[in-house]
Amino acid sequence: RSSDLTEARWFRLKSSTASIIHLYQKGEDKPECQIPEYIGRTELMAEDIDRGKVGLKILKAAISDEGMYRCHLETDTYFDAAEFELKVTALGSAPMIYLEGLHDKGADIVCQSTGWYPAPALVDKDGDGLGEKPVCKMTSHQEKGLFSVNYSCTVEKSRPFSCAFGTAFSSQERRASLYVPDLLVTPSSAWIPVTICLLILFAIAVAVVVGLWYLKTRVNNAKGDPETGRQKDKEGSELEELRSLINAEKKERDLEKKAREMEREEKEALKRERDALSTELVLVKATTGPAPFSPVTISLNPNTAHPNLLLTDDRKSVMFRVADTPARPSDGAPGMDGAEQRFNVTPCVLGAEGFTQGRHFWDVAVQRGGGTRWAIGVARESARRVCEIGR
């Protein structure tokens, strides 16, 4: 029964190795155990398991799937294994019959078909009862794993001609037929008189053409050959026209060259003018000097102050105190909470105002005492709070 089946393993036997192509354990498939080329291509067929049959379907079968396989079946009380060989067949295309040529022994008929595996064989069912069979030969070649077959025969008389191909592993076959009429297989001796007559007529026509050409040449020479004079005049006019074209081409090239030289001179003049203006601009900036400083009033931001710094109510002064006071909460700022704004290592505090351009100054009064060190400077609003600030 299907409920009793605990494991089914299918192996591909190649050389001295056995690779798992499908694994069924405890009621479910295990695709992660398959070799890559069989993932998604196998299905367990357990419909007849109650009758002792367990099958495996291989989807999109290819020639590379041909070979030896092994199956292991296991229940709580039973184990068995078996090996078998998989044969792959491919049914080729419908045969194509055509006339390859005619000769003194009859007509050469060719029958072709492609896309077979394994190599097909001729299915001999030519029982037309019209006497001796034609002289035939069969060849085949393999390309990208599939076989193509070529079956050629020489037919000596009017008769139906057919060819059929099939393989030993399949009952299916491909067949095509053709009726060869008497006109194509008439012995070549019947055409000999006709051929001789055609050759004689062709020789007479050639002789007439050559004679007319010779007569015309003699007549033209007797008249002073005016045709030759007209030909020379025509050649002279063509030569003069060619000279005119050459002179016109030279003039056009000279004009293009002059235009390029003028364009280069204009570019050089513009470059010299641009360089002169740039120099003048540098001199103007050097004489006028930088923009003057503008005074500003700075207030301190308590959200950035180190826990040991004490700010006055007007946020204009700051004092250092040695105390293990917990960090004060802050109101925060966009993109940064209060803990992230406050300096935790170096006793620092940032100003509330910031600048993006211009020249500014502010006055700072320092009361020294107790050997306290101090420093003042500028910093970006994104300065790191948890590392020591360099001096």
Side-chain angles (χ1 to χ4, degrees):
R1 295 177 301 174
S2 59
S3 59
D4 296 335
L5 183 63
T6 58
E7 182 175 293
R9 289 176 180 260
W10 296 80
F11 298 89
R12 172 70 188 272
L13 306 180
K14 185 180 293 186
S15 299
S16 60
T17 62
S19 304
I20 295 178
I21 67 170
H22 192 92
L23 175 60
Y24 173 86
Q25 281 183 336
K26 298 180 181 180
E28 60 181 15
D29 296 320
K30 301 289 184 179
E32 64 273 12
C33 299
Q34 292 178 281
I35 57 177
E37 54 265 35
Y38 285 90
I39 294 178
R41 295 180 52 221
T42 58
E43 293 181 1
L44 186 68
M45 303 171 62
E47 294 84 355
D48 297 330
I49 192 172
D50 293 338
R51 293 185 292 174
K53 295 182 180 180
V54 179
L56 184 71
K57 179 186 292 185
I58 298 179
L59 306 176
K60 298 179 181 179
I63 297 175
S64 58
D65 294 329
E66 190 173 69
M68 297 298 298
Y69 292 81
R70 179 186 298 151
C71 173
H72 289 185
L73 298 179
E74 184 177 347
T75 66
D76 293 335
T77 60
Y78 174 81
F79 174 82
D80 197 5
E83 291 187 3
F84 58 92
E85 183 179 7
L86 175 64
K87 292 291 187 180
V88 178
T89 62
L91 189 64
S93 63
M96 180 180 66
I97 303 178
Y98 62 92
L99 175 66
E100 187 177 45
L102 297 172
H103 49 80
D104 57 352
K105 293 183 179 180
D108 289 336
I109 309 297
V110 177
C111 179
Q112 292 180 339
S113 182
T114 60
W116 290 89
Y117 188 84
L122 182 68
V123 180
D124 188 7
K125 296 182 179 179
D126 192 7
D128 49 35
L130 296 179
E132 186 177 345
K133 293 184 178 181
V135 178
C136 303
K137 65 178 180 178
M138 180 173 170
T139 60
S140 64
H141 69 277
Q142 189 175 15
E143 183 178 356
K144 295 181 180 180
L146 299 177
F147 287 89
S148 298
V149 62
N150 187 304
Y151 180 62
S152 58
C153 296
T154 300
V155 180
E156 299 179 354
K157 64 178 182 179
S158 175
R159 56 169 289 153
F161 176 82
S162 66
C163 66
F165 303 106
T167 64
F169 304 109
S170 174
S171 60
Q172 294 180 303
E173 64 181 43
R174 295 292 194 185
R175 173 179 291 273
S177 300
L178 175 71
Y179 185 80
V180 183
D182 288 333
L183 179 63
L184 296 179
V185 294
T186 301
S188 58
S189 57
W191 293 92
I192 293 177
V194 177
T195 304
I196 294 175
C197 292
L198 291 176
L199 290 175
I200 293 173
L201 291 176
F202 178 75
I204 293 174
V206 170
V208 171
V209 170
V210 172
L212 291 175
W213 174 80
Y214 179 75
L215 181 61
K216 182 178 180 181
T217 302
R218 293 290 299 274
V219 172
N220 290 335
N221 291 335
K223 293 181 179 181
D225 200 6
E227 184 66 26
T228 303
R230 287 194 296 270
Q231 182 68 22
K232 289 183 178 180
D233 293 340
K234 182 179 179 180
E235 292 177 355
S237 61
E238 290 178 352
L239 184 60
E240 187 64 29
E241 183 178 357
L242 182 60
R243 290 197 185 99
S244 300
L245 290 175
I246 293 174
N247 293 332
E249 182 70 20
K250 289 182 178 179
K251 290 181 180 179
E252 184 177 354
R253 290 185 179 180
D254 292 340
L255 291 175
E256 290 179 355
K257 183 177 180 181
K258 291 180 180 179
R260 286 195 297 269
E261 292 178 352
M262 292 177 63
E263 183 179 0
R264 183 171 58 254
E265 292 175 355
E266 289 178 358
K267 288 183 178 179
E268 292 178 352
L270 289 174
K271 184 177 182 301
R272 290 194 296 270
E273 185 177 357
R274 184 171 60 252
D275 294 342
L277 291 175
S278 299
T279 304
E280 183 179 354
L281 179 60
V282 172
L283 294 175
V284 170
K285 287 184 178 180
T287 54
T288 56
F293 284 94
S294 59
V296 294
T297 302
I298 299 295
S299 60
L300 301 175
N301 184 357
N303 294 329
T304 65
H306 188 273
N308 289 354
L309 295 181
L310 180 64
L311 275 61
T312 58
D313 293 337
D314 60 359
R315 299 183 182 180
K316 299 295 184 181
S317 301
V318 60
M319 180 177 63
F320 180 82
R321 61 179 178 175
V322 180
D324 296 331
T325 305
R328 296 177 302 240
S330 59
D331 298 333
M336 187 181 294
D337 58 28
E340 292 177 339
Q341 292 191 63
R342 192 176 306 283
F343 288 92
N344 293 326
V345 177
T346 305
C348 296
V349 61
L350 295 180
E353 292 77 17
F355 310 99
T356 59
Q357 63 182 1
R359 296 163 63 86
H360 311 280
F361 76 93
W362 55 91
D363 295 326
V364 179
V366 180
Q367 295 181 355
R368 300 180 62 88
T372 303
R373 294 178 299 175
W374 64 276
I376 187 171
V378 293
R380 295 182 183 273
E381 186 178 5
S382 60
R384 300 182 65 181
R385 272 51 163 178
V386 295
C387 298
E388 184 174 0
I389 304 298
R391 296 181 178 84

